[in-house]
Amino acid sequence: TSTNMKTFTLTIVAIAVIIIMTTLSGCKPDEPTAEELFFEKTSGSWTATMVSVDNTVLEGAFDGFAITIKTDRTYTTSNGHAPIWPASGTFTTKAVTSTAGFNFVRSDGVEVEVVELTENDLILRFDYVSPGGRKSSVSGGYRFELIK
């Protein structure tokens, strides 16, 4: 009976090992979240191909505009004409029903709509309202068409 008990124990252990191996081999890595996929596409350096305000193309005003978006929810810009685009800042994301799925909300409170997002193209749109004074001409609906 000792031999039968050893055989029975080995059989149970073998079955347990097979069940555990089958279970572990079926595990898949976690699928990325919608926000992680959004950051995968938006992170990186983008350069403006066209900038407009209230549907009027701005010639020369934003030449050389570039923005670098990082997954740590920070950004830096060059030739952003602060306060339109501050030289750097932080942002949060806001879930929306657009194709991109999210908008950016800058730390200065400006919500930046992600109009279009592909691997190499990004279109951002936001309304900027100047506090007044001599810079009131910068108020309007800005649209930045960017490439990676």
Side-chain angles (χ1 to χ4, degrees), residues 50-70:
M50 186 178 80
V51 178
S52 61
V53 64
D54 296 330
N55 298 317
T56 300
V57 175
L58 298 176
E59 297 291 340
F62 285 88
D63 284 354
F65 174 81
I67 183 169
T68 300
I69 300 170
K70 298 181 181 175

Side-chain angles (χ1 to χ4, degrees), residues 38 41-42 44-53 65-69 75-77 84-85 91 100 102-106 110-118 121-127 140-147:
F38 175 76
K41 282 187 177 178
T42 57
S45 296
W46 299 88
T47 304
T49 57
M50 186 178 80
V51 178
S52 61
V53 64
F65 174 81
I67 183 169
T68 300
I69 300 170
Y75 67 88
T76 56
T77 67
I84 303 303
W85 270 109
F91 63 87
F102 295 90
N103 286 343
F104 296 114
V105 180
R106 296 187 331 207
V110 174
E111 182 170 343
V112 181
E113 176 188 1
V114 179
V115 176
E116 184 179 312
L117 174 61
T118 68
D121 297 293
L122 176 63
I123 299 176
L124 302 175
R125 192 204 166 288
F126 59 89
D127 291 318
Y142 284 81
R143 180 182 171 103
F144 288 77
E145 296 186 15
L146 307 154
I147 57 171

